[in-house]
Amino acid sequence: MQGIVLLVLLAHVGMDAASSVRDQESQVFSGNIVHPRLDVYVWDMDETLILLNSLLKSWYAEAFSGLKDVQKGVEIGEMWEKLILKICDDYFFYEQIENHNQPFLDAVAQYDDGRDLSDYNFNKDEFGSDNDDDDKRKLAYRHRIIAQKYLQGLQNILDHETMKLWEELYDKTDEYTDRWLSSARTFLKECSGEDKDAVSSIAFANTSTNSTTEKHQHVNVLVTSGSLIPSLVKCMLFRLDSSISHGNVYSSSEVGKYQCFRWIKERFNHPHVRFCVIGDGWEECEAARNMRWPFVKMDPRPGKLHRFPGLTLTTVSHYFSVVYGRENNENDKE
């Protein structure tokens, strides 16, 4: 299997790209300082970390050739759709800012004057009347509150009835999808070193990761084609927020995934950084190719290796090694 993976990836990124990156990796020593390795996992959301569109449109169930109840999958997807929209509107200002989508929460942070918002009336500030600096300041206020709520977690925001609905729906979906959700969540934790107490601000992008050890650092980043606020809410509802900080969620709907990838590369300007893209779509595949990053194509069909449960860190390490070279302490396990 490893040989097939290597051949596919070499064709994908090119031998010259792999050689170039290996040359850069050999220059990670600065004087007597040895920089730890930083691995950045760049994730797609739908049909990768979660299943939603494939449930709504019955693609997921139909791939099982009659073994899955198609209508049940559609109903589960519709329940998620309603819950996501309700929480977006009730708690995350989505009705107000739906037409003001930004690629990430800190995109308008420079307009935030730091005002105390404890008694601010978001329903009467006439936000959206003009697309000027004043509107951007009001949008920045909303983004600040959204970031705070993301850090709080939905368990500290939702009422008891909604919490119960959410928990039951999550468990029902996980059972229907043969543990796709819980497996993806576990894999994210493995990628991040199982450290949940990460610093989440973009201000610390060059040093902040989801896990830090002396020799190895890790970070999970999400780049999704969905709008920013629903994507943040989905991270919370699908229990990914402990492994993906709010500052590491990008919406590519206005700018495209390639631009998001370029921003990510600039943010994590680290002497010994490696990127790997994991997703199911053509856009992230093409963007990864342009960046000369390895790409793992997810496939939710039964029996495939690149799905949940199924995908492992050992498999992903093979993709890393084709582009960046194999480290001395890495051993073949497959």
Side-chain angles (χ1 to χ4, degrees):
M1 172 188 164
Q2 180 185 354
I4 296 174
V5 170
L6 297 180
L7 286 173
V8 170
L9 269 174
L10 285 173
H12 177 67
V13 300
M15 290 294 295
D16 291 341
S19 177
S20 173
V21 177
R22 290 191 191 102
D23 289 343
Q24 294 174 16
E25 269 213 313
S26 67
Q27 301 172 11
V28 298
F29 299 96
S30 176
N32 294 324
I33 300 174
V34 180
H35 296 281
R37 191 180 80 195
L38 170 62
D39 284 347
V40 181
Y41 300 88
V42 183
W43 293 91
D44 179 41
M45 177 175 274
D46 290 300
E47 279 49 71
T48 299
L49 288 172
I50 71 171
L51 297 175
L52 184 56
N53 289 333
S54 60
L55 295 178
L56 284 166
K57 298 177 181 179
S58 74
W59 303 335
Y60 176 80
E62 289 172 355
F64 285 80
S65 304
L67 296 177
K68 295 281 185 185
D69 185 333
V70 175
Q71 185 56 36
K72 181 179 179 180
V74 173
E75 290 172 357
I76 289 173
E78 290 174 346
M79 291 174 69
W80 276 115
E81 205 170 39
K82 290 177 183 177
L83 183 59
I84 291 164
L85 186 58
K86 173 180 170 56
I87 293 176
C88 283
D89 288 343
D90 291 354
Y91 300 97
F92 291 86
F93 308 110
Y94 191 51
E95 280 187 293
Q96 297 179 5
I97 65 179
E98 182 177 3
N99 296 321
H100 299 268
N101 187 54
Q102 299 293 320
F104 48 89
L105 277 181
D106 274 5
V108 289
Q110 68 269 31
Y111 296 96
D112 191 338
D113 56 14
R115 173 177 174 173
D116 182 0
L117 302 176
S118 56
D119 60 351
Y120 187 86
N121 192 331
F122 287 97
N123 294 319
K124 294 184 178 180
D125 67 350
E126 298 182 349
F127 168 71
S129 56
D130 300 296
N131 190 23
D132 55 12
D133 286 358
D134 189 50
D135 256 1
K136 291 175 182 176
R137 176 176 55 81
K138 295 169 184 175
L139 179 61
Y141 289 167
R142 286 161 171 79
H143 278 198
R144 195 204 315 169
I145 296 298
I146 289 167
Q148 292 171 0
K149 289 183 176 180
Y150 192 95
L151 290 173
Q152 276 182 274
L154 289 178
Q155 68 275 10
N156 296 310
I157 298 173
L158 302 181
D159 57 54
H160 177 73
E161 183 179 346
T162 308
M163 279 290 298
K164 183 178 179 182
L165 171 64
W166 169 32
E167 291 170 355
E168 290 176 351
L169 182 56
Y170 185 95
D171 291 342
K172 184 178 182 179
T173 309
D174 203 36
E175 180 181 2
Y176 180 79
T177 61
D178 304 319
R179 299 186 301 108
W180 185 288
L181 302 185
S182 56
S183 296
R185 186 183 177 203
T186 297
F187 190 76
L188 266 185
K189 290 181 179 181
E190 291 175 358
C191 290
S192 62
E194 299 187 10
D195 186 349
K196 301 179 184 179
D197 300 320
V199 178
S200 58
S201 172
I202 283 180
F204 299 96
N206 288 344
T207 57
S208 168
T209 61
N210 289 42
S211 174
T212 303
T213 64
E214 205 170 289
K215 296 181 179 180
H216 199 169
Q217 299 174 330
H218 320 257
V219 63
N220 290 309
V221 181
L222 183 72
V223 181
T224 173
S225 57
S227 296
L228 181 63
I229 304 310
S231 297
L232 288 162
V233 169
K234 284 197 281 186
C235 273
M236 300 176 79
L237 282 170
F238 288 94
R239 304 176 182 175
L240 309 175
D241 49 323
S242 65
S243 297
I244 302 176
S245 65
H246 62 69
N248 288 342
V249 177
Y250 288 77
S251 166
S252 66
S253 63
E254 312 296 332
V255 299
K257 294 202 171 182
Y258 180 54
Q259 176 59 64
C260 290
F261 287 9
R262 291 176 64 187
W263 283 331
I264 291 166
K265 183 178 181 181
E266 292 170 3
R267 278 187 57 202
F268 297 99
N269 182 21
H270 187 280
H272 195 183
V273 65
R274 310 191 307 175
F275 299 91
C276 185
V277 182
I278 306 171
D280 75 304
W282 67 267
E283 189 181 5
E284 56 261 28
C285 177
E286 183 70 11
R289 184 185 67 82
N290 289 334
M291 298 297 295
R292 295 184 174 181
W293 294 349
F295 174 69
V296 181
K297 181 172 175 55
M298 297 294 286
D299 190 339
R301 292 176 296 174
K304 300 298 180 179
L305 290 174
H306 296 166
R307 67 190 310 278
F308 293 116
L311 188 64
T312 67
L313 280 176
T314 303
T315 299
V316 174
S317 73
H318 293 325
Y319 284 79
F320 271 122
S321 66
V322 169
V323 178
Y324 299 101
R326 184 172 297 280
E327 292 201 336
N328 292 333
N329 61 344
E330 289 183 357
N331 298 314
D332 290 335
K333 296 181 181 180
E334 293 186 352

